[in-house]
Amino acid sequence: MMEFEGFDELMNNLRSMGDRGKAIEDKAVKKGAEHLEKKFEQAVYSNGLKRRTGKGGESITHEVRNGEAFVGPGKDGFYLKFPELGFYNTWAKRRIRKPWMQPTFERERVATLKIMADEAKKELRL
């Protein structure tokens, strides 16, 4: 795991700044969420999922609430949770799991943190 020097300190300082800090934090988190959303859209069909309706990649959305980002499939892509979490195949008599979101998140975590830190620094004019 890669640690960013001062990232937690930067986020704590933003929280202590009041409304302006919260706005900057939300903007940085939104930039990171947008990056993850784009990467998830690209990764949906990369692990063997077949493109049938074409709504899988389009259904990936992000939402930022209280300094937290929620990125994942929307209502049209509800079925994307089955390969991610796994499902029991009655013919094969075993649980089948083909995750696509977790590996993408692990691969993009460092880049996302860097994007968030850069956005916060840009807003603070550092």
Side-chain angles (χ1 to χ4, degrees):
M1 185 167 105
M2 187 173 180
E3 291 288 327
F4 278 97
E5 290 295 318
F7 183 75
D8 291 330
E9 184 180 330
L10 174 66
M11 294 311 256
N12 287 335
N13 286 342
L14 286 175
R15 289 183 187 112
S16 69
M17 288 176 61
D19 289 340
R20 183 171 184 268
K22 183 170 176 15
I24 292 171
E25 179 185 5
D26 285 346
K27 198 168 190 180
V29 170
K30 184 176 182 196
K31 278 283 192 186
E34 289 170 353
H35 172 74
L36 275 179
E37 178 182 355
K38 186 174 77 173
K39 293 301 181 178
F40 284 166
E41 286 174 358
Q42 294 169 355
V44 167
Y45 300 109
S46 65
N47 282 356
L49 294 177
K50 292 183 175 65
R51 185 181 307 265
R52 293 194 175 131
T53 63
K55 292 183 180 179
E58 296 170 1
S59 74
I60 306 294
T61 61
H62 72 276
E63 182 179 339
V64 177
R65 280 185 276 155
N66 299 326
E68 293 182 348
F70 301 93
V71 184
K75 289 181 181 179
D76 288 341
F78 74 93
Y79 57 88
L80 293 175
K81 68 181 176 184
F82 299 122
E84 180 69 26
L85 302 173
F87 58 94
Y88 185 77
N89 187 324
T90 55
W91 291 346
K93 304 285 190 236
R94 64 186 172 103
R95 185 181 171 106
I96 296 174
R97 183 172 183 251
K98 292 182 180 180
W100 58 273
M101 198 166 8
Q102 181 183 6
T104 304
F105 175 75
E106 294 295 330
R107 191 172 45 249
E108 296 297 323
R109 180 173 38 189
V110 173
T112 304
L113 286 174
K114 183 166 179 13
I115 288 169
M116 290 169 59
D118 290 345
E119 181 66 23
K121 287 178 184 177
K122 184 178 89 176
E123 290 294 318
L124 290 171
R125 295 176 180 89
L126 296 178

